[in-house]
Amino acid sequence: MIRATFLLALLMLPSLVRAQTSPAFPITGEPFSAELAGFDTQQNVKFKIGNKLRIMPAAELVRWGTFRDADTGPQIILASGGALRADVLSLDETHLVIGDASDLGSVLWGESSLPVEAVGGLVWQPPADSLARDRLLYRLLALPVGDDQVLLGGGEVLQGTLLSVPPAGRFAEKLTKQELAAAEVFTLQLPRVEKPLLIAASKVVAVRFGAAAIAKPAANQAFTRVGFRDGSWLNASRFEANRDSVLVHFPGGGKVAANNAFGDGSADWFWKQISLLQPISNSVVYVSDLQPIGYKHLPFLSGEWKYGVDQNVLGGQLRTPDQVFFKGLGMFPASRLAYALDGKFRRLQGQLAIDERAKLQGSVVFRVLLETASGWSTAYESPLIRGGDAKPIELSLDVKDAQRMAILVDFGDRGDACDYANWLDLRLLK
């Protein structure tokens, strides 16, 4: 039995993951393929290209790697942006403790005590369906500051003060089997009720911690969106890598410790867990962060569709079969979004695809129109893009003389069935 447990632990070790070679997109220059080798003390990114090392400021990088979210829980939702796939160990009035309950190195994050003000919520039992999972997350984040709110499987929402969660890890070591079974509850103090309510953990879907205000990092804060192979992601203001530990600091305060239970005495093992880097830079403006000067949708047969800001038109994350994108626009044909550029940008870049939700259905054409001194003209027209295409289409367009821009999605060859068009990571470079 001991040998079997040890072998299982070996199979789950984060430190045994091989380094990932992925394309890197610098703000200036050509894309290159590289392995992530880490960050130095000045927070410069280090890439390994063959036997050579390339070091560049994070602010000069648009993106490296890919990301796929976790479909299992628990997931700890950070108020500053992020979702950590980790075990929930304990909760008191001021802190939520997360980590690896098994102590076998099967979870990327080591024991970390997070102030409840830094925790936006907890997805205890994520739905298996990706769209349902996304909608649950957005619903959770939309709940207001105030009381804690517990979302139950039947759709009911209970409000009050969450006093405790099922203990795990070292917080459960001294409990008997009977005590553990009795502790598999969330304890919620309801308003104007003397005795706390005990809610079976099996009935809880998610929790919104009311002390945390969900907010994007301030515009003047430098941070990098980081995705991990286990489906975790977060906004990192800096990495603190020591000989036997790695701390990731959040913009606005707070930090989380990586699990080095099976590390190799350095931070190298940790960099192998990272699958995506997306630094925030003043030189990169995502179109989804701009206020459009106009939107128009002309229905084919169905009713009018709204466009999605950093979401697809169905209200889920922007997805391809093997990736999730944090930035972009979701549109339905025939529709048009217009933006004022005022000659401030030199290039438009991004990727074009039908959302994963369409499966093998859907077909659209993407177009970009630019207004220059000579008037409006079509600057780009994509080939016919279908659901299930192997890879997104790369878009890179000179816009340095453009005063205004319109992006359009038009019908393909099957009406508008499942035409969930995504402009992925659509960005303007200064």
Side-chain angles (χ1 to χ4, degrees), residues 65-265:
T66 61
F67 175 72
R68 189 71 183 181
D69 61 329
D71 57 5
T72 58
Q75 296 178 23
I76 294 84
I77 309 304
L78 302 174
S80 60
L84 304 182
R85 174 64 186 90
D87 296 325
V88 177
L89 306 183
S90 179
L91 172 71
D92 60 27
E93 293 181 356
T94 60
H95 287 81
L96 179 73
V97 183
I98 69 169
D100 179 7
S102 70
D103 203 28
L104 294 174
S106 58
V107 175
L108 176 57
W109 305 105
E111 184 171 316
S112 303
S113 182
L114 303 175
V116 291
E117 295 83 2
V119 182
L122 167 65
V123 180
W124 185 251
Q125 298 185 77
D129 178 77
S130 60
L131 183 58
R133 193 164 64 245
D134 294 343
R135 287 174 172 172
L136 171 63
L137 175 61
Y138 294 139
R139 177 189 175 194
L140 197 67
L141 297 180
L143 294 174
V145 172
D147 288 339
D148 297 327
Q149 301 191 48
V150 180
L151 282 64
L152 304 182
E156 187 179 1
V157 179
L158 301 176
Q159 299 187 39
T161 300
L162 190 63
L163 303 179
S164 70
V165 296
R170 66 182 180 87
F171 296 92
E173 288 177 353
K174 296 181 180 180
L175 300 180
T176 65
K177 289 184 178 180
Q178 291 77 13
E179 290 172 331
L180 275 175
E184 278 296 306
V185 296
F186 287 76
T187 307
L188 183 69
Q189 181 64 62
L190 299 175
R192 298 179 297 277
V193 176
E194 182 178 353
K195 188 176 181 181
L197 178 65
L198 304 181
I199 309 168
S202 60
K203 296 182 179 179
V204 174
V205 173
V207 176
R208 169 70 164 99
F209 288 95
I214 306 298
K216 294 181 179 179
N220 60 351
Q221 289 180 315
F223 68 95
T224 299
R225 186 174 293 108
V226 187
F228 296 86
R229 293 191 177 195
D230 72 338
S232 298
W233 74 274
L234 50 75
N235 292 324
S237 57
R238 67 186 178 94
F239 296 93
E240 185 180 346
N242 302 310
R243 178 170 176 79
D244 57 355
S245 66
V246 178
L247 297 177
V248 185
H249 293 257
F250 308 144
K255 59 188 176 183
V256 65
N259 187 354
N260 198 14
F262 293 90
D264 55 6

Side-chain angles (χ1 to χ4, degrees), residues 348 366-370 377-380 395 397 405-407 423:
L348 175 72
F366 294 80
R367 293 186 177 90
V368 180
L369 277 60
L370 299 177
S377 63
T378 300
Y380 174 82
L395 167 66
L397 182 65
M405 173 183 74
I407 59 174
W423 302 80

